[in-house]
Amino acid sequence: MDPLHQFQINPILQIVIAGYDVSFTNSAFFMVVAVALIYALLVFGMSGRALVPGRLQSLAEIFYEFVANMVRDNAGHDARPYFPFVFAIFMFVLFGNLVGMIPFTFTFTSHIIVTFTLAATVFVFVTVLALMKHGLHFFSFFMPHGAPLALAPILIPIEVISYLMRPVSLSIRLFANMMAGHTMLKVFAGFTVMMISGLGAVGFLAGLVPLAINIALTGFEFLVAFLQAYVFSILPCLYIRDALELH
């Protein structure tokens, strides 16, 4: 009945190398499951390349077009070479969120270490991209164009802190939403079970209220799963645009 028990990481295959625990855990297992599902959707869905697409091909094309439009609209046409990077992030986060909605699975996107690693990857990628494209001119990004030079001692530290906080805000948003949503689902599910099993016929009728709430929350969680994948992908698009255009 502990609502936080679902977030516990347990080793599946115990592995210790040079004194370091690198065990294969339930979190790693469901990451593999998410990647396998993405691979199966894209490879098998597009293997036929039918003129009239079937269900899998339609779904694969929808995801492809959705992310392609997102990159084009938010990062610009110059960002097209970086579409695979954004697409991989979107699919990994989305399938991680959706797999976690299945009973007895594990939501690896509810752990800050996973979301921060993804956000840090985006941060490093965008920073390296900006340095490769603009060189030392990249550091002009921290001094807003047209701002008085006298305000530089104030503006530059603010801009630097804001830039360094990008991976923090990006990771916390996803982790917090997934953990809060799954915790709420578990709490209302516990209320439903206790009321139905403990109070007889009256409890059964009373338990229909939290059951209805739980059904509504489940639908809402599916929406949140998609929205969080969208937000986690659209922000890198904006960061890539900043890196390419420095504004």
Side-chain angles (χ1 to χ4, degrees):
M1 298 300 291
D2 181 7
L4 298 181
H5 180 74
Q6 59 183 311
F7 305 114
Q8 183 175 343
I9 295 180
N10 300 310
I12 296 176
L13 180 62
Q14 195 77 35
I15 304 174
V16 179
I17 300 177
Y20 292 96
D21 187 355
V22 291
S23 301
F24 186 74
T25 64
N26 53 345
S27 179
F29 173 76
F30 284 104
M31 289 184 198
V32 174
V33 170
V35 172
L37 290 174
I38 296 169
Y39 180 85
L41 172 63
L42 298 178
V43 172
F44 296 112
M46 298 303 298
S47 59
R49 299 183 182 179
L51 185 61
V52 180
R55 294 176 182 176
L56 280 181
Q57 183 176 335
S58 296
L59 186 59
E61 290 178 354
I62 287 172
F63 284 137
Y64 182 93
E65 287 294 331
F66 178 79
V67 179
N69 291 334
M70 178 169 56
V71 173
R72 182 176 59 252
D73 295 341
N74 295 281
H77 291 283
D78 293 339
R80 284 181 296 177
Y82 314 109
F83 162 78
F85 179 72
V86 179
F87 184 74
I89 291 175
F90 174 80
M91 296 296 285
F92 185 71
V93 173
L94 176 63
F95 274 69
N97 294 346
L98 293 178
V99 167
M101 293 297 299
I102 302 172
F104 306 108
T105 60
F106 184 86
T107 312
F108 57 82
T109 51
S110 65
H111 279 260
I112 187 67
I113 187 61
V114 175
T115 59
F116 183 78
T117 300
L118 289 172
T121 301
V122 172
F123 177 80
V124 172
F125 172 79
V126 170
T127 303
V128 171
L129 173 63
L131 287 171
M132 289 177 62
K133 184 171 179 62
H134 301 285
L136 295 180
H137 182 63
F138 159 70
F139 293 100
S140 66
F141 179 75
F142 301 111
M143 182 61 185
H145 180 70
L149 191 61
L151 294 179
I154 299 175
L155 293 178
I156 291 177
I158 292 175
E159 290 294 329
V160 170
I161 293 173
S162 175
Y163 188 80
L164 294 177
M165 287 299 292
R166 284 179 172 183
V168 177
S169 61
L170 191 61
S171 59
I172 289 179
R173 183 183 294 106
L174 175 58
F175 137 77
N177 275 278
M178 299 313 298
M179 172 171 275
H182 282 63
T183 301
M184 190 178 301
L185 282 175
K186 182 71 173 181
V187 169
F188 276 97
F191 287 160
T192 304
V193 172
M194 286 189 296
M195 295 181 73
I196 290 178
S197 62
L199 298 175
V202 176
F204 177 81
L205 294 176
L208 294 178
V209 176
L211 178 61
I213 295 175
N214 220 47
I215 293 173
L217 286 176
T218 301
F220 180 72
E221 273 298 287
F222 277 106
L223 176 62
V224 169
F226 180 82
L227 286 177
Q228 288 305 311
Y230 172 73
V231 172
F232 203 91
S233 304
I234 198 172
L235 289 178
C237 292
L238 300 177
Y239 298 159
I240 290 173
R241 185 165 199 148
D242 287 343
L244 295 176
E245 302 178 3
L246 287 185
H247 67 72

